[in-house]
Amino acid sequence: MMIGAMLMMVGGKDLRIVVMTPTPQMHCQNCENKIKGQMRFEAGVVKVETSVEHQTVTITYNPKKTNVEQLQAAMKRIGYDTKVTSDRKVERTKKNK
């Protein structure tokens, strides 16, 4: 349902999800808030999720407006090097086609 709502917000465009691990590691809620607060303003970013427990930053983005390299550069500007662990298309179901 959530993905369906996101697709409606961006006009049903194909979206991608990239999962990154940041260096230095996130240690607290402030680290998560810093990443979420800055990355949400990057062009093409639809959603940002972070996990201190798993040390991941998951970004849903519109590939027509940005790409993984630009997202990594944005993370670098706020103080984090990143390693991409996954970059895939958002799976679309019949409900959100």
Side-chain angles (χ1 to χ4, degrees), residues 24-53:
Q25 292 186 339
M26 297 178 287
H27 292 78
C28 62
Q29 186 70 40
N30 288 336
C31 298
E32 289 183 298
N33 290 341
K34 177 181 178 180
I35 291 170
K36 288 178 184 177
Q38 295 294 317
M39 293 304 292
R40 69 187 177 115
F41 291 111
E42 290 297 317
V45 170
V46 175
K47 182 178 179 183
V48 180
E49 296 175 304
T50 56
S51 170
V52 170
E53 179 182 353

Side-chain angles (χ1 to χ4, degrees), residues 39 42-43 65-75 77:
M39 293 304 292
E42 290 297 317
K65 294 185 178 183
T66 193
N67 60 46
V68 172
E69 292 79 16
Q70 290 172 324
L71 295 172
Q72 286 184 291
M75 288 287 292
R77 285 192 299 273

